[in-house]
Amino acid sequence: MKSKFEWRVNGFDRMGQAGVHKIGMGVLIGLEEWRTDVTMMAYHLRYLQKHYWKTKYSVNFPRMRPSENGGFQPNVVMNDRELAQLTFAMRIFDHDVDISYSTRESAEIRNNMATLGVTTMSAESKTEPGGYYSYPQTLEQFHVSDERKATEVEKALKKLGREPIWKDWDQTFDYKQQ
């Protein structure tokens, strides 16, 4: 199952309009000083919103983790508190933008942030090249920290007073070998 949860904030929804429905943008946290990168992304977001105001926007902030095998190390490591501060700042900057947390984040921070600004979460992610089709001898691109089943994430969100909306990917995008 490939699922994403989304819930509405303040009842605002821009669905049903012609054109590009949604643009997602993000900053890979760890390459450079994250405050600068996020500020530049916010300027870009504001520009797009002014020129393409009928489009819905989402942002995410995947954090690089230090490599355990001595490989590539991020220049900056963002802790949970800083991620929460960034989430709050983005919510203040734009109360309508969807803020997405991936399964890179722990179940604990995803649960805590679900009531404090985050509007979309993935569940049961696959991170090897090719996505949900397993190629022989592939390595995962990043570690999944929240390994709960989609139904477990749904129960946790309901316990927090949120009503999850299921978004399953269109199966025509899945590669099937014949």
Side-chain angles (χ1 to χ4, degrees), residues 23-151:
I23 295 176
M25 50 188 2
V27 173
L28 181 58
I29 303 295
L31 296 175
E32 297 299 330
E33 202 287 312
W34 62 267
R35 287 173 181 87
T36 302
D37 286 346
V38 170
T39 300
M40 294 300 108
M41 185 199 67
Y43 279 124
H44 189 106
L45 173 62
R46 189 60 78 223
Y47 172 86
L48 289 171
Q49 289 172 326
K50 285 181 180 179
H51 290 85
Y52 306 99
W53 54 270
K54 292 184 178 183
T55 302
K56 188 174 182 178
Y57 295 91
S58 69
V59 296
N60 67 30
F61 316 106
R63 298 185 287 175
M64 295 178 72
R65 308 283 191 211
S67 175
E68 296 175 6
N69 63 4
F72 179 80
Q73 298 298 317
N75 293 325
V76 177
V77 176
M78 174 188 272
N79 63 38
D80 290 351
R81 183 180 180 147
E82 291 170 324
L83 179 61
Q85 290 171 344
L86 170 55
T87 303
F88 301 147
M90 184 55 64
R91 181 55 62 221
I92 292 168
F93 176 75
D94 188 325
H95 68 275
D96 293 325
V97 72
D98 287 339
I99 299 176
S100 180
Y101 272 20
S102 76
T103 55
R104 285 183 184 216
E105 301 302 335
S106 70
E108 180 182 22
I109 193 160
R110 285 164 41 104
N111 286 348
N112 287 324
M113 295 306 295
T115 61
L116 299 173
V118 174
T119 53
T120 307
M121 287 187 204
S122 55
E124 295 187 48
S125 295
K126 303 289 183 195
T127 63
E128 54 276 334
Y132 293 90
Y133 176 82
S134 295
Y135 293 99
Q137 301 176 353
T138 59
L139 301 173
E140 73 176 357
Q141 294 175 347
F142 62 87
H143 176 71
V144 172
S145 295
D146 187 352
E147 296 182 357
R148 295 177 293 176
K149 297 284 185 195
T151 54

